Amino acid sequence: MRTFILLCVFLIPTWGFSQTPCSYILRTDSCILLNPKLKEVTEVIEVKIKNNYLVQFIKQGKLNYLKIIVRDDLGFGKKGSLQLLSGKKQIYIKSIKLEPIDKTSAYFIIELNNSYYLDNIKDLGLSKIVFNETVEFNIPKPDSDQIKKAADCFYAIVKDQIWPASRKL
């Protein structure tokens, strides 16, 4: 009995510390979202990856977005299909514009509400970006893991806003 009490005294306080807090937090920023000429106040979690690319999870009110800023010219200003590969799953957008920021960078913006996109990214990360079915960018495994962690943190914050109330069970 004495051993059991000693174990409880030493183990119970450590159970509270077994979950690690999220290392990514939302910070207030101004971002260009759907209108390229208008910066809006948002909350952002961002991850810098290979080639100085930037993956941002953006919360603006009840709307949530994934923004991928690319530095290589994958077709700045062009419209085409976009595939985001996450392990064996993919996110496919039939038509999206690679919106230019300046001469050396552009971005994709994808709405996360009413979709399983965030679920896939938080579970599997991102492994490849394919634009217009011809240009692709491979994401290294360590960067994919960082994206996965950031997506998991973002999901913990916005999970109740991803689906409308009528869809929740």
Side-chain angles (χ1 to χ4, degrees):
M1 184 65 165
R2 181 189 257 174
T3 308
F4 176 73
I5 292 172
L6 285 173
L7 281 174
C8 289
V9 168
F10 289 111
L11 291 179
I12 290 176
T14 61
W15 287 339
F17 298 110
S18 64
Q19 290 185 341
T20 57
C22 193
S23 58
Y24 292 93
I25 58 170
L26 282 174
R27 64 175 179 75
T28 303
D29 198 358
S30 60
C31 290
I32 296 171
L33 293 175
L34 301 176
N35 182 351
K37 297 177 183 173
L38 178 66
K39 279 195 170 190
E40 301 180 49
V41 176
T42 61
E43 294 178 278
V44 179
I45 291 177
E46 62 185 25
V47 180
K48 194 174 275 192
I49 61 173
K50 176 182 160 185
N51 291 1
N52 212 17
Y53 280 34
L54 196 61
V55 176
Q56 296 179 321
F57 296 95
I58 301 171
K59 179 181 181 324
Q60 185 202 26
K62 292 188 178 196
L63 296 176
N64 304 291
Y65 301 95
L66 170 65
K67 185 175 184 179
I68 302 172
I69 299 174
V70 299
R71 306 292 181 198
D72 298 325
D73 190 351
L74 304 179
F76 293 172
K78 292 183 181 176
K79 243 183 177 183
S81 64
L82 176 68
Q83 288 180 313
L84 301 176
L85 299 167
S86 299
K88 294 181 181 179
K89 293 189 177 185
Q90 72 174 355
I91 297 168
Y92 182 79
I93 290 115
K94 187 175 183 177
S95 180
I96 191 169
K97 185 174 183 182
L98 181 53
E99 201 64 59
I101 298 171
D102 55 34
K103 291 180 181 181
T104 62
S105 59
Y107 68 91
F108 297 108
I109 187 97
I110 302 159
E111 188 172 335
L112 296 174
N113 290 48
N114 299 317
S115 73
Y116 289 104
Y117 297 164
L118 186 58
D119 289 312
N120 290 342
I121 296 168
K122 81 174 180 64
D123 292 339
L124 303 168
L126 286 177
S127 55
K128 188 185 290 187
I129 300 168
V130 181
F131 181 59
N132 221 2
E133 298 177 10
T134 55
V135 184
E136 60 182 61
F137 174 75
N138 291 313
I139 299 171
K141 177 83 170 114
D143 290 343
S144 180
D145 291 341
Q146 291 304 312
I147 293 168
K148 188 162 71 169
K149 288 176 188 174
D152 193 38
C153 293
F154 189 71
Y155 180 81
I157 296 165
V158 302
K159 63 185 170 195
D160 294 331
Q161 298 172 350
I162 293 294
W163 293 102
S166 62
R167 291 282 311 245
K168 294 180 185 173
L169 299 175

